[in-house]
Amino acid sequence: MSNDIRVRYAPSPTGHLHIGNARTALFNYLFARNKGGKFIIRIEDTDQKRNIEGGEQSQLTYLKWLGIDWDESIDKDGGYGPYRQSERNDIYQKYYNQLLESGQAYKCYCTPEELEAEREAQIARKEMPRYSGKCRHLTAEEQQKLAEEGREPSIRFKVPSGREFAFNDMVKNKVSFDSDGIGDFVIVKKDGIPTYNFAVAVDDYLMEISHVLRGDDHISNTPKQLMVYDAFGWEPPVFGHMTLIVNESRRKLSKRDESIIQFIEQYADLGYIPEALFNFIALLGWSPEGEEEIFSKQELIDIFDANRLSKSPALFDKNKLAWTNNQYMKKQDLDRVVEFAMPHLKKAGLVPEQPTVEEEKWARSLIALYQEQMSYGAEIVEFSKQFFQDDIQFGDEEKAVLEEEQVQEVLQAFYHQVSELDPFEASEIKKAMKAVQKETGHKGKKLFMPIRVAVTGEMRGPELPNAIELLGKQKVKLRLERLIQG
């Protein structure tokens, strides 16, 4: 079955790579790679008014960033091109002319105003709006008269009456549509550009696409595409419609939902690890056997089974995303973690754009300090803020710690130990804490928590001696002095 499998991801360059589209691409990619087939990227750019500059390149750039490669596309001809719909008009013309000649399509001269009036009248009668077919039976003389009025025709597909169009969906099992509920639909617009449902059917057939894996929101397009296949006597591909992604309120993920980061470019800019995002997206609407949740790309390719695509909406769990990315962050070499985090320290003005050797060494140590806690690179700015502040603003929880009766004794003893330290290193700082314990008799939280809060301003954080070393002797002494002197 290997080389018979051909799947495609077909974005419109109307925006940047969205998490939902990335999932569609990723599932097609995993399916193709698992079966030893081909993964094709086709650009569906017929809606020129909605295309944005850089949209096409953004799609390809961030698919590559995620770790998705392809076998055929605009930059890799596999013999089925062109791979932009806007460059295939001559191909489409051959096929829609064939439908006109066979009487399976016809020219429609209705104006937008006439169509809108017809639609409003149907709604007023509580009917499902659909084209009435008024241009279906125009004579050649009537068509000529309308053309002489300056009307540009569109071309409509003649939907057969009384037919059931059914298919066995990879996710939903049997799905069927009654043709009588679908009006004659436009396959070529007045400007001569084919519409989506016609072009995509022709392209999928000519590119020998075997399986179409796409979002649930496309299912209403499927009967129209099946009608085009049927009209030409072509065998349709196998369809699979993946359930939608929903937010934590169980509502469809909307691009206007600002509670969730939705574009792959944003994740890259924030310093997410691409392999982690690949792993997370792969589990949005698909589940492997067993309880494991962390997989390499190759592992996901090896175990991907389309039969395990979920029939329920996929929940975008932000906490699971953070956890997944954190699992990856912990396992990275420090050099790679620095690649994700250092640009954010520079952007925030906390590290110079061209740091000295000493400044870079210090920043690397700072990033290493928080590697276990970070989910993505940009978090380093918030995590490490106490290293760049002169004054600490204590919260209620921290103030409560500093008001405990043993605090002054502990801080004074630690101040004297710190003042004597040379070199000012984590190993020596740890010894100083033990000396304070011995001197004061305080241990555990009674000892460490006042020191942590006094020096870092926070109740929780990385290994305390390491944090104190990075803060530096001068800053630590100053912070202790302010609290001791009140």
Side-chain angles (χ1 to χ4, degrees), residues 36-63:
K38 301 289 187 184
F39 174 58
I40 296 104
I41 294 181
R42 184 175 72 225
I43 305 297
E44 297 187 345
D45 60 346
T46 54
D47 194 346
Q48 296 291 324
K49 292 177 184 175
R50 294 183 62 228
N51 295 345
I52 66 165
E53 187 176 351
E56 179 183 290
Q57 191 54 50
S58 174
Q59 291 277 336
L60 299 180
T61 296
Y62 289 100
L63 286 173

Side-chain angles (χ1 to χ4, degrees), residues 25-39:
L26 193 150
F27 282 178
N28 276 281
Y29 171 78
L30 291 176
F31 183 73
R33 293 290 175 262
N34 175 270
K35 301 293 186 184
K38 301 289 187 184
F39 174 58

Side-chain angles (χ1 to χ4, degrees), residues 1-185:
M1 190 174 179
S2 63
N3 290 330
D4 293 334
I5 298 291
R6 288 177 59 82
V7 298
R8 48 74 169 179
Y9 167 60
S12 299
T14 56
H16 300 292
L17 182 59
H18 183 260
I19 200 90
N21 291 338
R23 183 188 67 162
T24 297
L26 193 150
F27 282 178
N28 276 281
Y29 171 78
L30 291 176
F31 183 73
R33 293 290 175 262
N34 175 270
K35 301 293 186 184
K38 301 289 187 184
F39 174 58
I40 296 104
I41 294 181
R42 184 175 72 225
I43 305 297
E44 297 187 345
D45 60 346
T46 54
D47 194 346
Q48 296 291 324
K49 292 177 184 175
R50 294 183 62 228
N51 295 345
I52 66 165
E53 187 176 351
E56 179 183 290
Q57 191 54 50
S58 174
Q59 291 277 336
L60 299 180
T61 296
Y62 289 100
L63 286 173
K64 283 181 183 174
W65 179 85
L66 265 178
I68 296 175
D69 58 282
W70 47 88
D71 301 293
E72 299 173 27
S73 189
I74 56 174
D75 60 348
K76 195 180 287 189
D77 192 344
Y80 291 84
Y83 293 90
R84 288 187 188 93
Q85 283 189 336
S86 59
E87 297 170 4
R88 296 173 63 83
N89 279 343
D90 290 348
I91 296 171
Y92 303 135
Q93 188 173 15
K94 169 188 170 183
Y95 288 98
Y96 64 70
N97 280 338
Q98 190 174 322
L99 291 179
L100 285 170
E101 289 164 10
S102 65
Q104 293 169 288
Y106 60 91
K107 292 181 179 180
C108 171
Y109 291 87
C110 294
T111 64
E113 293 76 19
E114 288 170 340
L115 292 171
E116 182 58 29
E118 181 176 275
R119 174 183 167 81
E120 288 177 0
Q122 289 171 332
I123 292 172
R125 295 193 300 269
K126 295 185 168 45
E127 296 173 2
M128 179 69 73
R130 62 191 181 104
Y131 182 61
S132 65
K134 62 190 290 187
C135 289
R136 250 192 190 222
H137 306 294
L138 291 176
T139 64
E141 292 76 17
E142 288 170 327
Q143 286 188 11
Q144 185 177 347
K145 183 182 178 185
L146 290 167
E148 287 171 356
E149 290 177 14
R151 296 193 184 205
E152 291 290 341
S154 59
I155 298 175
R156 287 185 182 270
F157 184 86
K158 192 180 289 184
V159 173
S161 62
R163 288 274 306 276
E164 179 190 60
F165 284 86
F167 60 98
N168 191 36
D169 192 272
M170 295 168 70
V171 180
K172 299 177 176 297
N173 300 322
K174 184 179 178 182
V175 180
S176 63
F177 293 86
D178 182 353
S179 67
D180 290 341
I182 302 170
D184 293 350
F185 55 93

Side-chain angles (χ1 to χ4, degrees), residues 467-483:
I468 290 173
E469 178 186 334
L470 277 177
L471 278 165
K473 189 172 185 177
Q474 184 178 352
K475 187 169 282 189
V476 169
K477 285 181 66 179
L478 184 61
R479 290 179 177 181
L480 290 169
E481 281 171 4
R482 286 175 177 166
L483 288 170

Side-chain angles (χ1 to χ4, degrees), residues 150-285:
R151 296 193 184 205
E152 291 290 341
S154 59
I155 298 175
R156 287 185 182 270
F157 184 86
K158 192 180 289 184
V159 173
S161 62
R163 288 274 306 276
E164 179 190 60
F165 284 86
F167 60 98
N168 191 36
D169 192 272
M170 295 168 70
V171 180
K172 299 177 176 297
N173 300 322
K174 184 179 178 182
V175 180
S176 63
F177 293 86
D178 182 353
S179 67
D180 290 341
I182 302 170
D184 293 350
F185 55 93
V186 175
I187 58 172
V188 183
K189 293 177 283 189
K190 293 179 185 295
D191 60 6
I193 303 296
T195 58
Y196 168 78
N197 281 311
F198 179 73
V200 76
V202 172
D203 289 342
D204 284 346
Y205 172 73
L206 294 179
M207 292 184 179
E208 298 182 16
I209 300 302
S210 63
H211 295 73
V212 173
L213 269 172
R214 57 189 179 189
D216 201 18
D217 49 340
H218 277 285
I219 200 160
S220 61
N221 292 319
T222 310
K224 295 177 181 178
Q225 292 163 24
L226 287 173
M227 289 176 193
V228 173
Y229 270 84
D230 184 67
F232 289 114
W234 298 338
E235 182 182 348
V238 176
F239 290 97
H241 291 88
M242 300 171 288
T243 56
L244 299 177
I245 303 173
V246 296
N247 63 19
E248 287 159 354
S249 300
R250 303 285 169 175
R251 292 178 180 168
K252 177 185 171 184
L253 201 62
S254 162
K255 292 178 183 178
R256 294 183 293 277
D257 183 353
E258 295 182 358
S259 68
I260 291 175
I261 300 169
Q262 305 222 12
F263 294 95
I264 302 304
E265 183 176 359
Q266 292 172 290
Y267 287 103
D269 290 345
L270 284 168
Y272 275 78
I273 298 173
E275 300 95 313
L277 202 58
F278 187 105
N279 188 156
F280 174 76
I281 294 171
L283 301 181
L284 281 176

Side-chain angles (χ1 to χ4, degrees), residues 217-385:
D217 49 340
H218 277 285
I219 200 160
S220 61
N221 292 319
T222 310
K224 295 177 181 178
Q225 292 163 24
L226 287 173
M227 289 176 193
V228 173
Y229 270 84
D230 184 67
F232 289 114
W234 298 338
E235 182 182 348
V238 176
F239 290 97
H241 291 88
M242 300 171 288
T243 56
L244 299 177
I245 303 173
V246 296
N247 63 19
E248 287 159 354
S249 300
R250 303 285 169 175
R251 292 178 180 168
K252 177 185 171 184
L253 201 62
S254 162
K255 292 178 183 178
R256 294 183 293 277
D257 183 353
E258 295 182 358
S259 68
I260 291 175
I261 300 169
Q262 305 222 12
F263 294 95
I264 302 304
E265 183 176 359
Q266 292 172 290
Y267 287 103
D269 290 345
L270 284 168
Y272 275 78
I273 298 173
E275 300 95 313
L277 202 58
F278 187 105
N279 188 156
F280 174 76
I281 294 171
L283 301 181
L284 281 176
W286 175 82
S287 60
E289 294 182 5
E291 301 299 318
E292 184 60 49
E293 295 181 290
I294 300 298
F295 300 95
S296 69
K297 180 168 77 172
Q298 189 57 52
E299 286 171 335
L300 287 165
I301 288 170
D302 292 342
I303 64 175
F304 187 78
D305 179 358
N307 291 322
R308 296 188 64 84
L309 287 167
S310 175
K311 297 184 188 327
S312 304
L315 174 65
F316 191 102
D317 185 338
K318 290 184 289 185
N319 293 329
K320 178 61 70 66
L321 173 60
W323 177 83
T324 302
N325 278 271
N326 178 248
Q327 297 304 302
Y328 277 81
M329 188 67 81
K330 289 176 183 176
K331 295 174 182 175
Q332 301 304 305
D333 292 335
L334 179 59
D335 285 347
R336 192 152 190 243
V337 178
V338 169
E339 283 179 28
F340 292 119
M342 186 73 85
H344 298 282
L345 290 173
K346 291 180 178 180
K347 184 179 178 182
L350 303 176
V351 172
E353 280 294 332
Q354 301 294 329
T356 64
V357 173
E358 275 302 308
E359 287 169 335
E360 178 146 353
K361 182 181 176 184
W362 182 87
R364 284 176 63 86
S365 297
L366 179 67
I367 292 166
L369 196 64
Y370 287 97
Q371 180 173 349
E372 289 287 312
Q373 290 175 256
M374 278 191 292
S375 293
Y376 56 94
E379 282 189 317
I380 189 64
V381 175
E382 179 64 23
F383 280 150
S384 65
K385 62 185 178 183

